[in-house]
């Protein structure tokens, strides 16, 4: 019995490898350096909810039917987020980073992997309260067109508002969270003013190049889905997108410590994973 | 059979149960133990600190991409799923809740059983829902050993009862007997 499981599992892993190769060759989306356990879970989940009998059959369906590809693309991207997720992070950002951003006449922020936009609007609220929104340009990017559409609309389910309000207060918000939205039926619509300086755009961290030169890069809970070499590659891209003295913010379980980019940064806050790009790098 | 890993799932009443299960384990106990305890998303690391002080074994939170080592007890981080990679390291994920939980016991059990196959022991302890039942069935299907805390002893019996209902588990034991059993293994 166990022999069979081991054999079957080996075959399964071969099929998944071939599937990712096929997706890359046919559609250009590269998941080959994503964490294997995550991808396997998502593929098997898709297979279980289809009527197909194996991953090889799924591969056939994806190659010949773009709609099937779109389904798997959705499966692979994680779009779970919330406003002011990890309030202590936003508090630290407000206390440690904002005062330095204020010294610039014009500020650019890149939010890489913005998903459905909740954290982008959280940032916009923070900037507004600090008097910086008018002179800030936020670029918010994701590889998934569907989530970008939701992000642009800025409309969220009303049942989340209680949690968001709580997060907002814990993050050091100085007004009332209800100042920033209008409730309508089952939804809340975020104020247009928050959206005015945000550009939402399609960008793939795995395959696209440097996006802009910015003062702050926010890329949270994206790198955890990548293997070591892809993480190094993307961190390098993020580093190159920052001005000297610019800031990088990662997710709470992500770190630059063991990456090649480590030497390019000083740590601003180890717990909240905020780093500052060094002003000049001494060449060896 | 030489087992390579032990996965444990617990929920309501879990902290006391884990204390009773882990503190008698010998310092020489080799098999890595990986635990999902359902916990509030905002919790700090008090569980690992508390249990590390009580146990002979090293108790810590599982880090992203950390290699799984002998003699260690790992806990899933609050608000992240914990996955085991087939090269015996950890991955974290923020994907949606599974069985209303993040971390979810099923996610840990399913991925660990891919990595360890028949060399895995799965244990379901006290709790108020059905997380872990499916994962335990999968461990059993792939040749692993499955143990459930005696529902009569569990502070909340639904999670053990659901696990027993879902598949034919190998052992239903009291915490003290699970600890004795593990100590005899290694």
């Amino acid at each position: 019995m166990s022999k069979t499981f081991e054999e079957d599992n080996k075959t399964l892993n071969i099929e998944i490898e071939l599937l990712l190769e096929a997706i890359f060759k046919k559609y250009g989306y590269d998941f080959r350096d994503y964490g294997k356990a995550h991808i396997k879970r998502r593929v098997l989940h898709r297979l279980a909810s289809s009527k197909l009998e194996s991953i090889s059959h799924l591969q056939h369906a994806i190659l010949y039917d773009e709609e099937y590809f779109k389904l798997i693309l959705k499966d692979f991207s994680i779009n779970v987020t919330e406003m002011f997720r990890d309030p202590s992070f936003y508090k630290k950002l407000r206390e440690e980073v904002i005062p330095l951003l204020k010294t610039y006449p014009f500020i650019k922020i890149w939010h890489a992997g913005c998903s459905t936009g909740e954290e982008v609007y959280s940032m916009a609220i923070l900037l507004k309260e600090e008097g910086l929104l008018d002179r800030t340009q936020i670029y918010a990017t994701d590889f998934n067109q569907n989530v970008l559409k939701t992000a642009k609309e800025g409309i969220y389910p009303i049942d989340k508002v209680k949690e968001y309000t709580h997060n907002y207060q814990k993050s050091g918000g100085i007004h009332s969270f209800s100042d920033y939205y209008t409730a309508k039926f089952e939804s809340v619509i975020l104020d247009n003013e928050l959206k005015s300086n945000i550009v939402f755009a399609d960008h793939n961290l795995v395959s696209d190049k440097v996006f802009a030169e910015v003062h702050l890069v926010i890329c949270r809970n994206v790198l955890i889905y990548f293997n070591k070499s892809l993480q190094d590659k993307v961190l390098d891209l993020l580093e190159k997108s920052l001005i000297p003295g610019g800031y990088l913010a990662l997710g709470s379980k992500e770190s630059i410590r063991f990456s090649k980019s480590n030497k390019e940064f000083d740590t601003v806050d180890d717990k909240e994973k905020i780093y500052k790009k060094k002003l000049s790098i001494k060449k060896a | 059979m030489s087992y390579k890993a032990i996965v444990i799932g617990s929920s309501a009443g879990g902290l006391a149960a884990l204390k009773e299960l882990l503190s008698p384990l010998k310092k020489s106990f080799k098999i890595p133990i990986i635990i999902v305890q359902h916990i509030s998303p905002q919790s700090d690391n008090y569980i690992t600190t508390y249990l590390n002080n009580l146990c002979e074994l090293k108790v810590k939170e599982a880090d992203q991409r950390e290699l799984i080592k002998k003699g260690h007890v790992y806990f899933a981080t609050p608000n992240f799923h914990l996955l085991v990679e087939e090269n015996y390291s950890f991955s974290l994920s923020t994907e949606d809740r599974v069985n209303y939980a993040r971390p979810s016991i099923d996610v840990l059990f399913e991925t660990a059983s891919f990595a360890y196959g028949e060399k895995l022991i799965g244990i379901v302890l006290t709790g108020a829902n059905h997380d872990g039942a499916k994962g335990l069935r999968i461990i059993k299907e792939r040749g692993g050993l499955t143990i459930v805390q005696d529902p009569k002893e569990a502070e909340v019996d639904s999670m053990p009862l659901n696990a027993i209902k879902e598949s034919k588990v190998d052992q239903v034991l009291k915490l003290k007997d699970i600890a004795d059993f593990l100590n005899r293994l290694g």
Side-chain angles (χ1 to χ4, degrees):
Chain A
M1 171 175 166
S2 66
K3 192 76 199 158
T4 327
F5 162 71
E6 258 177 52
E7 281 300 316
D8 288 352
N9 192 37
K10 261 188 203 161
T11 311
L12 204 61
N13 289 340
I14 293 170
E15 284 183 296
I16 292 171
E17 222 176 292
L18 293 172
L19 173 71
L20 299 184
E21 201 65 39
I23 289 173
F24 176 60
K25 289 209 162 122
K26 170 94 184 185
Y27 297 103
Y29 284 86
D30 193 352
F31 294 100
R32 295 174 300 176
D33 286 325
Y34 272 54
K36 288 192 162 62
H38 165 68
I39 289 289
K40 189 170 187 169
R41 255 182 70 70
R42 307 309 293 186
V43 170
L44 291 177
H45 186 260
R46 176 51 54 203
L47 184 65
S49 49
S50 74
K51 290 193 169 65
L52 301 164
E53 61 184 90
S54 75
I55 296 172
S56 299
H57 289 82
L58 184 66
Q59 177 181 319
H60 186 271
I62 287 170
L63 282 173
Y64 287 93
D65 183 352
E66 193 168 352
E67 291 308 307
Y68 238 106
F69 165 66
K70 284 182 183 160
L71 279 177
I72 202 94
L73 192 63
K74 217 170 119 197
D75 292 334
F76 286 168
S77 70
I78 303 297
N79 300 307
V80 180
T81 180
E82 60 196 63
M83 290 194 76
F84 295 97
R85 174 193 205 153
D86 305 326
S88 58
F89 163 73
Y90 286 91
K91 195 159 190 291
K92 191 57 76 176
L93 208 58
R94 198 188 277 263
E95 291 166 358
E96 302 282 334
V97 178
I98 295 293
L100 278 123
L101 291 183
K102 281 182 178 167
T103 64
Y104 295 98
F106 191 76
I107 302 149
K108 288 189 215 165
I109 297 173
W110 178 21
H111 197 128
C114 69
S115 188
T116 39
E118 287 88 336
E119 293 179 69
V120 185
Y121 291 118
S122 308
M123 187 70 203
I125 289 172
L126 200 168
L127 291 167
K128 183 173 154 59
E129 294 187 353
E130 295 294 325
L132 286 179
L133 189 60
D134 293 341
R135 52 183 167 113
T136 304
Q137 175 70 62
I138 302 177
Y139 305 102
T141 63
D142 204 281
F143 76 79
N144 182 334
Q145 312 265 3
N146 285 322
V147 297
L148 281 175
K149 212 174 130 218
T150 307
K152 266 180 220 173
E153 287 168 355
I155 300 173
Y156 301 107
I158 203 162
D159 56 359
K160 298 280 178 80
V161 165
K162 201 175 149 202
E163 185 190 354
Y164 293 173
T165 305
H166 181 70
N167 282 356
Y168 167 77
Q169 286 160 351
K170 275 177 74 182
S171 80
I174 53 178
H175 295 297
S176 163
F177 185 62
S178 59
D179 291 351
Y180 300 107
Y181 64 81
T182 315
K184 197 170 181 184
F185 305 113
E186 298 302 304
S187 303
V188 290
I189 304 163
L190 293 180
D191 281 357
N192 271 326
E193 191 198 347
L194 297 173
K195 300 173 195 172
S196 53
N197 291 354
I198 307 173
V199 174
F200 290 98
D202 184 357
H203 181 277
N204 192 331
L205 282 169
V206 181
S207 49
D208 293 338
K209 298 274 183 293
V210 170
F211 187 79
E213 192 164 59
V214 301
H215 301 79
L216 166 63
V217 169
I218 297 173
C219 184
R220 308 183 73 225
N221 300 310
V222 175
L223 299 177
I224 49 171
Y225 299 103
F226 300 162
N227 71 15
K228 175 94 174 73
S229 67
L230 181 56
Q231 180 186 308
D232 278 356
K233 191 182 134 189
V234 172
L235 275 171
D236 184 60
L237 177 104
L238 300 180
E239 185 265 315
K240 290 200 163 58
S241 307
L242 280 168
I243 62 158
Y247 291 89
L248 171 67
L250 302 176
S252 61
K253 298 302 281 184
E254 297 164 331
S255 170
I256 58 164
R257 198 177 298 161
F258 302 108
S259 78
K260 286 178 186 160
S261 303
N262 190 31
K263 61 182 189 312
E264 317 286 343
F265 288 94
D266 292 320
T267 301
V268 175
D269 193 286
D270 193 40
K271 185 173 167 283
E272 303 302 342
K273 303 293 186 279
I274 301 173
Y275 307 94
K276 186 182 174 82
K277 184 172 166 179
K278 289 177 182 168
L279 286 169
S280 66
I281 309 295
K282 286 195 187 84
K283 294 274 182 286
Chain B
M1 175 65 67
S2 61
Y3 291 100
K4 284 174 106 170
I6 297 162
V7 286
I8 300 175
S10 55
S11 189
L15 189 54
L18 287 167
K19 180 188 157 195
E20 203 176 331
L21 175 62
L22 298 175
S23 57
L25 294 181
K26 294 176 297 191
K27 199 177 172 60
S28 60
F29 189 80
K30 287 280 183 290
I31 311 170
I33 299 173
I34 310 160
I35 301 170
V36 163
Q37 159 71 42
H38 290 162
I39 191 168
S40 140
Q42 279 91 28
S43 311
D44 58 14
N45 55 358
Y46 74 90
I47 289 192
T48 48
T49 312
Y50 171 74
L51 289 173
N52 191 44
N53 288 333
L54 286 170
C55 294
E56 301 266 14
L57 298 166
K58 167 84 182 161
V59 182
K60 72 183 291 292
E61 239 177 49
D63 281 322
Q64 171 70 354
R65 219 177 285 114
E66 180 176 7
L67 286 174
I68 298 166
K69 288 197 286 283
K70 287 178 182 171
H72 281 60
V73 178
Y74 299 97
F75 271 83
T77 303
N79 215 14
F80 287 84
H81 291 298
L82 181 62
L83 291 74
V84 175
E85 296 283 346
E86 289 173 39
N87 67 357
Y88 311 131
S89 65
F90 292 117
S91 282
L92 305 183
S93 153
T94 58
E95 75 185 276
D96 235 332
R97 288 159 190 269
V98 174
N99 308 320
Y100 312 103
R102 186 173 59 224
S104 145
I105 302 166
D106 277 345
V107 171
L108 171 68
F109 281 17
E110 288 175 44
T111 54
S113 84
F114 269 127
Y116 295 107
E118 61 177 356
K119 296 198 161 76
L120 181 68
I121 300 174
I123 305 175
V124 169
L125 305 177
T126 172
N129 53 27
H130 65 273
D131 196 15
K134 184 181 165 217
L136 207 66
R137 169 168 59 73
I138 290 171
I139 290 173
K140 176 78 184 166
E141 283 166 4
R142 294 176 186 162
L145 181 78
T146 58
I147 302 172
V148 172
Q149 182 186 7
D150 188 340
K152 292 197 286 293
E153 180 200 58
E155 194 176 319
V156 184
D157 64 7
S158 356
M159 217 160 81
L161 286 172
N162 282 319
I164 293 167
K165 208 164 69 185
E166 172 90 17
S167 66
K168 194 177 176 316
V169 301
D170 294 303
Q171 309 259 14
V172 177
L173 298 172
K174 290 189 162 43
L175 291 169
K176 186 187 164 300
D177 298 326
I178 301 176
D180 285 348
F181 174 78
L182 294 182
N183 265 329
R184 283 198 300 275
L185 283 178

